[in-house]
């Protein structure tokens, strides 16, 4: 039955919602953890923007907003309190760099930063710590996510990765 509405489809989200791309052993084991696998993949497959000694910045495969980055330690740890001092310092520095890069490349007006500790706190991959860096713009919380329950992402992730990687400080 026609209802007069135009639809914007985001079928890539269904893979995440249904869990169909979840590894057989789950995310708890490093062999099934996408954050443990990403550093060994080619850049166009991993979506890694920048690499440090202890952490790396990667685009979120299922972003809340365009340019949604994650800062992850290479080491498979679940809890912030498990990070050692060098990992903690580099995670903080990469978060600052991520904010600067996103501002430079896409003129973000603000950010949501966060660590979801545990599944009950919203962590989709609770077994591997990751810091969210979510760019925000005035008016980005419009009718689409509220009424349409979808987000409009105007750029392919690979293109966003290339822009951020070029802008990342050396």
């Amino acid at each position: 039955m026609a209802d007069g509405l135009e639809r914007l489809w985001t079928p890539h989200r269904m893979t995440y919602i249904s869990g169909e791309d979840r590894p057989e052993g789950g995310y708890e084991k490093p062999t099934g953890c996408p954050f443990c696998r990403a550093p060994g993949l080619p850049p166009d497959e991993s979506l890694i923007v920048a690499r440090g000694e202890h952490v790396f910045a990667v685009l979120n495969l299922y972003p809340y907003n365009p340019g949604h980055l994650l800062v992850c330690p290479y080491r498979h740890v679940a809890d912030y309190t498990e990070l050692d001092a060098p990992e903690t310092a580099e995670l903080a520095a990469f978060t600052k760099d991520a904010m600067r890069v996103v501002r430079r490349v896409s003129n973000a007006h603000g950010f949501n930063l966060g660590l979801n500790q545990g599944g009950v706190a919203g962590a989709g991959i609770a077994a591997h710590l990751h810091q969210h860096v979510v760019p925000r713009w005035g008016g980005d919380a419009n009718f689409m996510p509220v009424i349409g329950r979808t987000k409009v992402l105007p750029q392919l992730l690979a293109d966003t990765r290339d822009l951020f990687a070029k802008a990342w400080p050396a």
Side-chain angles (χ1 to χ4, degrees):
M1 175 182 285
D3 58 12
L5 297 176
E6 290 188 44
R7 303 240 176 344
L8 291 176
W9 300 102
T10 57
H12 68 282
R13 293 287 303 162
M14 189 50 72
T15 302
Y16 176 72
I17 293 166
S18 69
E20 70 185 61
D21 68 344
R22 188 174 305 236
E24 191 173 311
Y27 295 129
E28 291 73 30
K29 298 178 183 177
T31 57
C33 175
F35 301 135
C36 289
R37 284 194 325 262
L41 296 173
D44 58 328
E45 290 180 42
S46 71
L47 297 177
I48 290 178
V49 171
R51 297 170 187 262
E53 185 178 342
H54 304 285
V55 303
F56 61 95
V58 61
L59 283 174
N60 189 330
L61 187 57
Y62 305 104
Y64 298 137
N65 260 357
H68 180 172
L69 286 165
L70 304 170
V71 180
C72 307
Y74 291 107
R75 196 162 58 94
H76 187 85
V77 297
D79 197 89
Y80 185 70
T81 62
E82 295 177 48
L83 294 179
D84 62 26
E87 289 169 328
T88 302
E90 194 171 58
L91 184 112
F94 260 56
T95 300
K96 288 180 176 182
D97 285 340
M99 293 172 65
R100 289 180 186 115
V101 166
V102 174
R103 277 192 186 117
R104 188 176 320 121
V105 171
S106 62
N107 198 28
H109 299 151
F111 293 88
N112 290 116
L113 304 174
L115 296 164
N116 299 331
Q117 295 286 263
V120 298
I125 302 174
H128 196 132
L129 179 79
H130 51 285
Q131 165 88 8
H132 291 263
V133 179
V134 183
R136 301 301 305 268
W137 293 268
D140 70 3
N142 58 32
F143 75 95
M144 290 303 293
V146 176
I147 305 297
R149 301 197 39 82
T150 191
K151 272 287 195 180
V152 178
L153 301 175
Q155 189 173 54
L156 294 173
L157 289 174
D159 294 342
T160 304
R161 192 213 79 77
D162 291 346
L163 286 170
F164 287 179
K166 287 176 189 165
W168 201 271

